[in-house]
Amino acid sequence: PRKTDIRDANFPMDAEGRTYHLGTKRGEVANRILSVGSEKRALVLAEYLQPPAPGRGLFMLESSRGFLTITGRYLGTPVSIVVTHMGLANADFVVRENRAVVDGEMAFIRLGTCGALRPPARLGSFIVADPGAILIRRDPDAFSPEGEACGLPPYRFSRPIPSDPLLSQALQQEAARRLGAENVCSGLNATADSFYSSQGRRTDWFDDRNEALLGELLQAYPQAITLEMETAMLLDLARCSRGSIRAAAGVIALADRQSNDFLAADRIEELERLTGQACLAALARTQLQDSWGPHNGSGP
Ligand code: R1P
Ligand code: URA
């Protein structure tokens, strides 16, 4: 067998201990992780990192599946930026495979973009998922003859899943310092399993039965103000991590779901830079039980 061959069908890793999808191993990832949706966002924010050790470059590894991990330091503290791409399954890979190669307590912050449902979220604002997020799932059974016969609802809302209150507060404060308090708020996030159907977008090609979805969402959860695709998965896994993961998320509102306006690309990058530094600062300033890691010599 070659060292890149995968063993253990239960939790696949290669002979070096590299995970199957993210491709990283112990020592390459910090306990503090900034999860971002795109490679461009990760590379822009990597400009603010210092090398993990003097005289070295940033650690960078892109897996065959396109997950890029960048490890360096922010305010002297080791931090990894991990490209999560989009959707629930990718968020699951990022949390579980990073958890598998890091010892000690971890903190995850997601920096994403979202649709704004209602004030105080508005185009260009930054919204922290505090108190947390709910999950909206499309139920395929509702579209089957049997499901139609018994009137199954096409979409299901989970109960709220909490975010870490202290990490969320730290993120909101760091963001307010950089963006101005008037551009930062907090509220319940709604994470959907599609950008389209379960976010109430309508297209002619599919029978999605979602005309009433956003109204039903706001009736069930009047406090929901943002719509995106990963936060609830991160918060659910943190809740189920046996106390080993603290998680928070903040999103830039780039789509206004009432007016249908969309933010200009240069403004998005400007906000990514400011809010990304806020996320890195909140991670770096958070105390964790993390005596092992790249920061004490066992790293890249
Ligand atoms: C959809 O366009 C993507 O944008 C949002 C959604 O959650 C989804 O991943 O977040 P990111 O900008 O982090 O990808
Ligand atoms: N990301 C989403 O998931 N939805 C939006 O409307 C905008 C960004």
Side-chain angles (χ1 to χ4, degrees), residues 31-220:
N31 294 55
R32 292 166 176 80
I33 293 186
L34 174 54
S35 154
V36 298
S38 74
E39 185 155 322
K40 177 174 171 280
R41 193 178 305 153
L43 293 172
V44 160
L45 297 181
E47 292 176 19
Y48 301 101
L49 295 186
Q50 299 88 44
R56 309 254 286 274
L58 295 177
F59 170 81
M60 285 203 188
L61 183 105
E62 181 157 0
S63 75
S64 60
R65 296 283 186 163
F67 289 101
L68 172 67
T69 300
I70 305 172
T71 299
R73 287 175 184 264
Y74 191 81
L75 300 174
T77 302
V79 178
S80 293
I81 301 174
V82 180
V83 178
T84 303
H85 302 294
M86 294 174 278
L88 299 173
N90 283 328
D92 188 64
F93 283 134
V94 166
V95 177
R96 290 181 189 271
E97 294 193 6
N98 280 307
R99 181 60 281 183
V101 297
V102 173
D103 293 323
E105 194 181 14
M106 297 182 77
F108 280 78
I109 293 184
R110 157 168 160 73
L111 172 60
T113 61
C114 74
L117 280 169
R118 60 166 193 80
R122 54 178 172 73
L123 214 60
S125 60
F126 182 67
I127 306 101
V128 177
D130 188 5
I134 63 140
L135 184 59
I136 308 173
R137 277 163 296 183
R138 186 182 203 268
D139 183 356
D141 287 347
F143 299 83
S144 71
E146 298 81 2
E148 286 177 329
C150 61
L152 276 184
Y155 299 91
R156 290 172 183 270
F157 304 143
S158 79
R159 291 169 189 273
I161 308 163
S163 53
D164 184 275
L166 290 180
L167 195 56
S168 300
Q169 276 166 30
L171 177 56
Q172 193 172 343
Q173 281 164 12
E174 296 289 349
R177 197 172 298 157
R178 290 165 176 84
L179 263 67
E182 67 284 6
N183 296 312
V184 178
C185 62
S186 60
L188 186 69
N189 167 266
T191 298
D193 63 2
S194 164
F195 182 82
Y196 295 100
S197 62
S198 47
Q199 291 191 30
R201 290 190 162 90
R202 291 187 294 282
T203 57
D204 290 338
W205 288 105
F206 298 95
D207 168 20
D208 285 323
R209 302 178 204 175
N210 63 357
E211 297 75 12
L213 178 64
L214 295 188
E216 286 163 5
L217 170 66
L218 289 174
Q219 200 165 14

Side-chain angles (χ1 to χ4, degrees), residues 26-28 291-300:
R26 275 196 154 60
E28 293 177 346
S291 54
W292 186 95
H295 50 290
N296 66 6
S298 53

